[in-house]
Amino acid sequence: MSPNWIEQFQGLASLDASIKSLMTQKSNIISYAKNSVIFGSGKAPDHFLLLLEGTVRVQQLSEAGREIVLYRVHAGQSCVLTTACLLAYEDYAAEGIAESEVKAMALPRVVFNQLIAQSDEFRRFVFSAYSRRMTDLFAVIEDIAFQRMDIRLAQKLLELVDEDAQIKSTHQKMAAELGSAREVISRLLQEFQRRNWIAQSRGTIKLLNRGEIKKLATTNS
Amino acid sequence: MSPNWIEQFQGLASLDASIKSLMTQKSNIISYAKNSVIFGSGKAPDHFLLLLEGTVRVQQLSEAGREIVLYRVHAGQSCVLTTACLLAYEDYAAEGIAESEVKAMALPRVVFNQLIAQSDEFRRFVFSAYSRRMTDLFAVIEDIAFQRMDIRLAQKLLELVDEDAQIKSTHQKMAAELGSAREVISRLLQEFQRRNWIAQSRGTIKLLNRGEIKKLATTNS
DNA sequence: CGCATTTTAGTAACAATGTCACAGAAGAAT
DNA sequence: ATTCTTCTGTGACATTGTTACTAAAATGCG
């Protein structure tokens, strides 16, 4: 890894050169295969993770086997839940899954502590990351509690759509994104299809009228 | 305040004497009147708060004016959201309300930073507090998304009941606790009443059969 | 005190979402 | 081609949320 990977991270770029070199020297790259579990269900890495490539999906599992996606960690962001595991020795109901091949810089706990102690800047970076995730969780709570499902689904479609205007996902997975039931999602997607907003085929949803979907997604918010 | 207020806080008791004296000297007591807003809607205190007496209710407001209670900060705990405001300069959709007369030790930002830098112990205390709240939020999300309302209501009744087996709250406030609607709560409470689990009068709910309520509250969990 | 006002609770009809129990269709595997 | 698995569609029904009211209980005031 080139030593200037740090520059990718907003909030770390302005660190002292000495701090930067400490980070670069004491860290190493970890790779995770697609769909591998990065933390959760007992296992937690003992490093502070800074994501270089790929995406980590953080999701909650209920005992009944239902799921809901909490947020995603993208390249250039840190994974605060691993930090939490690292420092607080708590275990979580949440788990982190590599959504694609993931590469991350891993800082050993000792180095992490050293940085926190030495650098005001690094400290701010870490706390900001925490705050950001808290905010994400607040948004999730507000959505689940108060937002209509058709609006949430429209938002999710826009969030997950790829460059070909498609979403490669089953109804079941979309339901897990929103913490809903498959039948509910099928019903709503069928209504969207009836309005010619989308076209469906097994495992993929194609957006035909992004304008109308966006209009629904932004009603009352 | 006697200088050994620190001992109230699990996780701070084992700090070095020098650190403790720093804390005691540089902090001062802040009081909040019942129902005053401690943070939220633009205002944030510029101090790290350690609660000595009283309870702070942290809740989320939606634009539509609906509410949901996220968690409560009790005496002996710290208020991490103010920390977050302090360090990350983000503003939140959440707000903290003094549920009773509240007394707290307030550490100025500079001292907070100093402590984080100097003390491994203090650092762990702060990160633990963050983790704890994250866990609380996960629990809230799981409840809202997957749990039946009658079960959640039963749990809430047991959580809020006082030493006289009563809850002093209106249906509206109970609905806000659970992020539901007043009518829904009225309906459920009426059913509980029909089963002789509770007695109701304007503004108070009395628990008559805690056993059955607990049985419901612990179904499938 | 009696009367108006405000707050709290009850009700019914309906809409939205979740659950259950299936059936059928599309791919995958053999 | 046939079986098997996964994905989607469907209808009936239960739960929760919404709307639009009414009624009852506390509060305040002349």
Side-chain angles (χ1 to χ4, degrees):
Chain A
M1 192 80 224
S2 84
N4 57 357
W5 59 267
I6 293 182
E7 313 302 327
Q8 277 191 44
F9 292 85
Q10 172 121 43
L12 291 185
S14 53
L15 285 174
D16 285 353
S18 63
I19 304 274
K20 278 186 186 171
S21 72
L22 176 66
M23 284 182 75
T24 331
Q25 282 164 33
K26 295 297 177 80
S27 62
N28 47 1
I29 295 185
I30 297 188
S31 288
Y32 294 94
K34 182 169 175 174
N35 293 325
S36 59
V37 179
I38 295 178
F39 65 88
S41 54
K43 45 185 306 197
D46 49 352
H47 293 266
F48 180 65
L49 292 185
L50 294 153
L51 238 68
L52 299 171
E53 283 173 34
T55 319
V56 177
R57 184 178 70 242
V58 178
Q59 62 192 15
Q60 168 95 313
L61 294 169
S62 82
E63 324 84 35
R66 288 182 56 183
E67 302 177 13
I68 182 168
V69 173
L70 300 173
Y71 58 82
R72 287 180 164 79
V73 187
H74 299 283
Q77 301 180 334
S78 65
C79 187
V80 291
L81 265 191
T82 63
T83 324
C85 298
L86 210 65
L87 295 160
Y89 309 103
E90 278 205 51
D91 50 334
Y92 291 99
E95 60 175 16
I97 310 283
E99 274 207 308
S100 55
E101 168 86 14
V102 162
K103 279 197 172 53
M105 291 304 310
L107 286 178
R109 173 191 308 217
V110 195
V111 184
F112 177 80
N113 273 318
Q114 215 175 327
L115 287 167
I116 285 276
Q118 284 179 17
S119 166
D120 209 80
E121 206 70 27
F122 185 77
R123 208 147 53 216
R124 194 188 314 265
F125 174 78
V126 172
F127 279 109
S128 286
Y130 261 99
S131 303
R132 167 110 187 250
R133 293 314 167 193
M134 284 261 196
T135 310
D136 290 344
L137 293 181
F138 290 164
V140 171
I141 289 175
E142 176 148 354
D143 263 22
I144 303 179
F146 306 129
Q147 197 64 286
R148 292 175 50 99
M149 193 55 80
D150 51 355
I151 295 176
R152 295 178 58 206
L153 178 57
Q155 290 168 346
K156 203 48 125 173
L157 289 176
L158 295 173
E159 180 189 328
L160 297 181
V161 67
D162 64 19
E163 57 283 354
D164 303 324
Q166 291 186 336
I167 296 114
K168 294 252 178 255
S169 172
T170 65
H171 294 185
Q172 182 63 63
K173 280 179 188 162
M174 291 302 292
E177 289 282 338
L178 297 165
S180 177
R182 201 259 311 158
E183 294 87 333
V184 176
I185 301 302
S186 293
R187 216 154 41 194
L188 291 171
L189 285 175
Q190 220 152 18
E191 175 59 19
F192 287 2
Q193 188 174 39
R194 195 193 60 72
R195 298 183 196 166
N196 283 323
W197 293 2
I198 62 169
Q200 294 192 76
S201 62
R202 197 188 166 91
T204 69
I205 300 159
K206 178 147 197 157
L207 305 196
L208 301 178
N209 189 336
R210 232 186 259 223
E212 285 298 317
I213 296 174
K214 191 158 203 167
K215 203 153 83 184
L216 176 60
T218 52
T219 359
N220 310 342
S221 61
Chain B
M1 191 80 224
S2 83
N4 57 357
W5 58 267
I6 293 181
E7 312 304 327
Q8 278 192 44
F9 292 85
Q10 172 119 43
L12 292 184
S14 53
L15 285 175
D16 284 355
S18 63
I19 302 275
K20 279 186 187 172
S21 71
L22 175 67
M23 284 182 75
T24 331
Q25 282 164 32
K26 296 295 175 84
S27 61
N28 47 1
I29 296 185
I30 297 188
S31 289
Y32 294 93
K34 181 169 176 175
N35 293 326
S36 58
V37 178
I38 295 179
F39 65 88
S41 55
K43 44 184 307 195
D46 50 351
H47 293 267
F48 180 66
L49 292 185
L50 293 153
L51 239 67
L52 299 171
E53 282 173 35
T55 322
V56 177
R57 185 180 68 242
V58 177
Q59 61 193 17
Q60 168 95 311
L61 294 170
S62 81
E63 323 86 33
R66 287 182 57 183
E67 302 176 13
I68 182 167
V69 173
L70 301 172
Y71 58 82
R72 287 181 164 80
V73 186
H74 299 283
Q77 303 181 332
S78 64
C79 186
V80 291
L81 265 191
T82 62
T83 323
C85 300
L86 211 65
L87 295 161
Y89 310 102
E90 279 204 53
D91 50 333
Y92 291 99
E95 61 175 16
I97 311 282
E99 274 206 308
S100 55
E101 167 86 14
V102 163
K103 280 197 172 54
M105 292 304 311
L107 285 178
R109 175 191 307 221
V110 194
V111 184
F112 177 80
N113 273 318
Q114 214 176 328
L115 287 167
I116 286 276
Q118 284 178 18
S119 166
D120 208 80
E121 206 70 26
F122 186 77
R123 206 148 54 218
R124 195 189 311 267
F125 174 77
V126 173
F127 278 108
S128 287
Y130 261 99
S131 303
R132 168 110 186 247
R133 294 315 167 192
M134 284 262 196
T135 309
D136 290 343
L137 292 180
F138 291 164
V140 171
I141 290 175
E142 176 148 354
D143 263 22
I144 303 178
F146 305 128
Q147 196 65 285
R148 292 176 51 99
M149 193 55 77
D150 52 354
I151 295 177
R152 294 177 58 207
L153 178 57
Q155 291 168 346
K156 202 49 122 173
L157 289 176
L158 295 173
E159 180 190 328
L160 297 181
V161 68
D162 65 18
E163 57 283 355
D164 302 324
Q166 292 187 336
I167 296 114
K168 294 252 178 255
S169 172
T170 65
H171 293 185
Q172 182 62 64
K173 280 180 187 162
M174 292 301 295
E177 289 281 340
L178 297 165
S180 176
R182 201 258 312 158
E183 293 86 337
V184 176
I185 301 302
S186 293
R187 219 156 36 197
L188 291 172
L189 285 176
Q190 221 151 19
E191 174 61 18
F192 287 2
Q193 188 173 39
R194 195 193 61 72
R195 298 183 196 166
N196 282 323
W197 292 2
I198 62 169
Q200 294 190 77
S201 62
R202 197 185 165 92
T204 68
I205 301 160
K206 177 145 198 157
L207 305 196
L208 300 178
N209 189 336
R210 232 186 260 224
E212 286 298 317
I213 296 174
K214 191 156 202 169
K215 203 153 85 186
L216 175 60
T218 52
T219 355
N220 311 341
S221 61

